[in-house]
Every structure is written in C-alpha cells, then in structure tokens.
Amino acid sequence: MFLVALSFAYFSKALSGSYMKSTITQLERRFDIPSYLIGVIDGSFEIGNLLVIAFVSYFGAKLHRPKIIAVGCVLMSIGTFIIALPHFIIGRYEYETSVRWVANSTFHASPCLLGPPADPVQEDGPSGPGTGGVPAGCEGESNLSMWIYVLLGNVLRGIGETPVQPLGISYIDDFASEENAALYVGCVQTISVIGPVFGYLLGSLCAKIYVDIGFVNLDSITITPADARWVGAWWLGYLIAGVITLLSAIPFWFLPRSLPVCGPAQSDPEQSGFIKGSPLLKHEYEEEEQTSFIQMAKDFIPTLRTLLGHPVYLIYLCVTIIQLNSLIGMVTYKPKYIEQHFRQSASKANFLMGMINIPAVALGMFSGGLLMKRLKLNIMGAARFAFGTSLIGYILSLFFFAMSCENAKVAGVTLPYDWVDGISYDSHSVFSACNSHCACSGSDWDPVCSQSGITYVSPCLAGCTGSAGSGKNTVFSNCSCVSEAVNFTVSTGQCPQRDECDRMFPYFLALSVITSFIISLGGTPGYMLLIRCIKPQLKSLALGFHALATRTLAGIPAPIYFGAVIDSTCLKWGQKRCGGVGACRIYNTTAYRIAYLGLTLGLRTVSFLLCIPGFILLGRQLREEERHAAHRALANGGAELEALRKEDYVISNANQSQRTSDKSVEGETRL
C-alpha cells in the first residue's frame, strides 16, 4: 500500500512539474513578462526545495515519515492552487487588436485615423497615442505584478516536494525485504517517468482552450492558437494538477509509522536496534543516535574537505553541473523553440514533447542500465560509455544548426516597405510614407496578412482605411502600403509561411528523438560512476552534495540566463495594457537558433574538455588501487606463508617429540 501511495505521489509531482514547463509561453503572454523572468519563476522550485531539504532529511527520518510526506503533498497542492490564483484576480485577458466584433452591425470604423503618426519611441498603450499620464482604466491598477503569486506558489511546491523522495525511499529500504527493495524503488522511478508524459499532454490540451473560456463569447475572439497573442487556459491545468496532488496525500495519513520487518516473529536485539520505531532497546538507541550525531557534526567539515579533495569526484561534479546547465536550459525552452522557430502552436509543441521526447529519454535510461549489466562494465568502462554516448549525441546535435527556417516577412520589422531583400532592426522603420497620413501607434502588435505573404504590424500601419466582416473574418481594404497590382486588402493574423519549415520539421523531430535516446543511454552508467569512484564511507555525503550542487548551480541559474539570451533576439516587443514593455511578439529566427543551440552545445563543449583530465586522473586512481590491492595480496600471502611455516615447524617438533617418546617407550619395553 505504501508503494502504491508513493508511486501516486511521484506521478503527481512529476505531472505538475512538467506542466509548469509546458506553460512557459502562456505565462509570458498572460503576464506580459520577458523570458528571463519565466526562468526566475521556473528556478524558484529549486529554491524552495533547498530551503528545507537539510531539515527534512534529518528530522523527518525521526518523525512519522508517511505523515510528513502527506504534509508535503498538501503543501504542493496548495502551491499549485496559488499559481492558478492570479487568473481569478486580474480579470479577463485583453490583447492588442484593431478588430471590433459587433453582432448584426454594418458599421465598421476605419483603422487608419487621420493625423500625424505617433512617436514610435513613446510607449503607447491600447488607449492610443497622446493620452498622456495614466492610460484610461489603469488608475486603480496595483503596482504588484501578478506573476509574484506564480513565483510564491512554485516556491511552496518546491518546499512540499522535499520529503517525498528521501523519506519515501528510506521507508521502503527500511521495511521491505532486501530482494524486494530494489524492485519497489524501480517501480517508483518508472512511474515518475510516466508523469511528465501526462503533464505535457495536459499542457497541450489546455493550450488549445482560450484563457477566458466560460466568461467570454468565443465568437468574439479574433485570434487563433497559432497567434503570438494567444493565451490558453493555463490555470485549468494547475487546478487539475493541484487536485491530483491533494488526492495523493490522502493514503499517507492512514499508513503506520513503522511496518513489521520481514523475517522471524521475534527479532534479535541487534536487528531491532536498526529499526527506529522498535520498542526494544529504545533508550539505548536514542542515546547512541545522539552520540553519533555529535560525532558526525564534528567530523562533517573534515569529511567534506576529504570529499572535495578527491580529484576524480571534483571533476565529475564540475562536468555534471555544466552538462545539467545545458540540459535544463534546453529542455525548459524547447517547446518555445519549436513554437517560434518552426511556427507551431503551443498545443502541438507540448504534445510532441510528451509523446515523443519524454518516452525516448525513459527508454534510453532503461536501455543504458540494461547494457551496463549485459556488458559487465567496470568503472572505467562506465565512464567511457557515458562519455561516448554524450559525444555521439553532441555530434548529431550539430545538425540542428542546418535545420533553419527563414525569418517571418514582416514589413518594417524584418523587411523594409519597398520590398528590397534584407533585415531591418530599426523600430522606427514601421513608419513609412505610405502610412504617414494615419495616426498609428508603433508599439501595437496586431498583425495582418496580405495575399503576397507579407505580414504588416497592424492594419493602421498597412495604411488600411476600410474594413468589412467581423471577428476572425474581418478583411481590411484600401491599404495604401500593400503593393498588390489588383487587390489592396489584408486579412487578420500573421502569414503562415510554412513551406520550408513544414518540410524541415519532421527531420527535426526525428533527430531530436535520436539524440535524446543516445544521450540518455549514458545516464545510468554516469550515475554508477559517481557511486563507484569514491570510498563507500563517503558515498552518502557525495550523493547529497552532488544533488545540492547541481540544484544550486544548474537548476536555478540555467533557466534565467537561457531566457535572457533568448530575450536578446527579440525583434518586436508587445505592449502592456497600462504602459511598459510586455512579452516578445516576434523573434529573429536566425539569431534565436544560433543563441539557443550555441549556448546549449557550447556548455557541453566545455564539459568535454574537462573530461580529458578526468579520464587521466581516473586511470591513475584505478592503477593505484590495483597496486595497493597487489601489495595487500602479497602482504596477506606472505603472512599466510609465515603462518604455514610456523605450523609446519610446530608439527615437525611435535612429530620429533613423539618419535623420541616412542623410542623411550620401546626401550623400556625391551628392558
């Protein structure tokens, strides 16, 4: 029953964690924040985890472990609900649009209002240029950003997740039989891999649903899920994940503090001394535990110094930290990369992550452990296997640079209005002679598409003076900037331009699956290298310090600086309703690809360089261990030979005395 409960808890925490990754672009657009702030929110989970991990690991083992896990699941559930809370506080989502939806109306306002163009440097809100001061409807707006609630909720999730793994695994290890414990832990880890699959699928489902479903008339929504302004029902998935996490806490309240140990009914005192809940020798156990803790506290700093003085462990720690920086940054922003580079919807990107990438990683980890057992790899063999798989994956990842899509053709952003080929990064270039008679805002993002495949930032900047239809079917006419010989009309939405990208995308997916599988093959051998390269008495401290270092130096900073690098490739920023820069609307595709892939592979290049001295030191360590083992064998052999000689000497003396005694007896008999 405990195994079932713990597996469900692992599933729920993995589901909510992967769902957080799947909602990155939704949160960016809903709260109008850049990618680096999303990285701060994502890393806050690790911050919450690190705040209490030492206390939980030590004190939790002395208390009622199932109930501590139950409290953790409840805290995770509360944190997940807090993340969804802003949706019910800030009201409905309002996006930039020039389209007006009026039922049964024949009146259509002109998007081009006569007058001089607005100052492009001025950050105009939807209220339009020249309003001055606070935009209309923003007088009562709170200065507190709503994304703070998401941050605090994720910190609480991290705090609640802390006791699940150490206390759950130790409970199984204490009370399961030795032959079953490994099987039970394997079952739990398998379930934890299934969780992310369902998390990304839930993200895919919620990304299709409009954020204000049930509160607005969906016919009035003028954008589609492929639009850069679309926000899905991100809050709905957090409510579902919160309920599942809350349900996972219920069984732990009814489980006992300790279980009967497999074996004879009456256990001997030595065995019962290892069971914390045993009434036998209770006072002696507590006194011994207190003494050992004081001794451990005194020995902690010298032991840590010894551990960090181990050259192979130190290099392994540096290599894994750098590799995890690359891995965490890549995985965090991979759905966003698929959306922006290959112009796929958030729903499709999350679906592909859940159904293709995650199973490939799980299969790779399992196959790596199986190959290690089949090939009977020693410590050097495991190191070479892990390095080889990582290097092959690195070489294959270089082909991602060749899988490129052209920048979207946006007049005034990536193309000048006179259609001369070239890229323009000048924000003032959205204004041209063809729209100079319109009082347009240069900060709005309300794209429209012409029949030639050119996207314009807004109907006003396209110089359109008329419109017909309503909602998504609105068509703008008499557009002076549209250089069409016959038709001067544009329709709502950005032009798809998917010809080359659609042909390239399946190859990208295939290569992504192959590289994920190959890199994952080295996961299990690499972890076994960590366990075997150090002395057994340092193993627990080495594993704990490795987890602490990787979370602090990889889990927290990687999403932040990856997000900051991605932000640097933005070509057009959105506008907050009450002023200020919002989320990015369009990226420089080429710069995005080079920055994202270059940072990912650059970090892995550094880690490979560190592996060179690592292999040298590991080989030297193994040779020294073999030499010491040979010396010990010789010493033991010499001692055994000396013992045999002494034994022979004693036996020979005994035989000689026996012969002497026999001779005397024989002489007496003759007499």
Side-chain angles (χ1 to χ4, degrees), residues 273-274 281-295:
F274 288 98
L281 298 176
K282 183 176 181 182
H283 299 291
E284 289 83 347
Y285 177 78
E286 289 178 354
E287 182 179 352
E288 181 183 343
E289 189 177 61
Q290 185 178 2
T291 306
S292 63
F293 176 72
I294 294 171
Q295 186 63 35

Side-chain angles (χ1 to χ4, degrees), residues 230-465:
W230 176 271
V231 176
W234 60 273
W235 53 273
L236 182 60
Y238 285 111
L239 293 182
I240 295 172
V243 170
I244 293 174
T245 309
L246 188 61
L247 291 175
S248 71
I250 295 174
F252 291 104
W253 295 107
F254 302 100
L255 287 165
R257 179 172 182 169
S258 60
L259 296 174
V261 181
C262 298
Q266 294 182 351
S267 56
D268 58 288
E270 183 180 359
Q271 184 186 27
S272 61
F274 288 98
I275 305 171
K276 291 179 170 58
S278 174
L280 190 63
L281 298 176
K282 183 176 181 182
H283 299 291
E284 289 83 347
Y285 177 78
E286 289 178 354
E287 182 179 352
E288 181 183 343
E289 189 177 61
Q290 185 178 2
T291 306
S292 63
F293 176 72
I294 294 171
Q295 186 63 35
M296 282 194 302
K298 290 180 180 178
D299 295 341
F300 177 73
I301 298 298
T303 307
L304 184 62
R305 192 182 297 117
T306 303
L307 178 66
L308 295 180
H310 194 294
V312 175
Y313 176 78
L314 192 61
I315 288 181
Y316 179 89
L317 189 66
C318 294
V319 168
T320 51
I321 287 173
I322 296 172
Q323 289 261 13
L324 282 173
N325 269 274
S326 172
L327 179 66
I328 292 170
M330 180 193 70
V331 171
T332 301
Y333 293 101
K334 191 165 188 178
K336 183 182 175 74
Y337 180 76
I338 292 174
E339 290 176 47
Q340 297 295 333
H341 192 270
F342 294 99
R343 301 184 182 96
Q344 304 293 326
S345 67
S347 174
K348 187 173 181 180
N350 291 326
F351 178 81
L352 293 171
M353 282 289 291
M355 291 302 294
I356 296 179
N357 269 82
I358 302 297
V361 170
L363 182 62
M365 293 179 68
F366 176 78
S367 302
L370 200 63
L371 282 172
M372 189 174 181
K373 181 180 179 181
R374 185 68 57 85
L375 299 174
K376 297 178 181 179
L377 299 176
N378 58 11
I379 181 171
M380 181 58 82
R384 288 171 178 166
F385 186 85
F387 178 81
T389 54
S390 185
L391 184 62
I392 294 171
Y394 172 83
I395 294 171
L396 290 175
S397 298
L398 294 174
F399 289 99
F400 285 127
F401 282 104
M403 298 179 179
S404 60
C405 290
E406 291 184 358
N407 280 300
K409 297 178 180 178
V410 183
V413 179
T414 60
L415 289 172
Y417 280 89
D418 54 5
W419 321 128
V420 178
D421 290 338
I423 303 295
S424 171
Y425 302 101
D426 185 8
S427 59
H428 292 227
S429 65
V430 294
F431 295 96
S432 178
C434 62
N435 55 33
S436 59
H437 60 284
C438 302
C440 304
S441 170
S443 58
D444 286 346
W445 176 257
D446 183 21
V448 289
C449 178
S450 68
Q451 291 185 356
S452 61
I454 304 297
T455 299
Y456 295 84
V457 174
S458 69
C460 183
L461 289 170
C464 303
T465 57

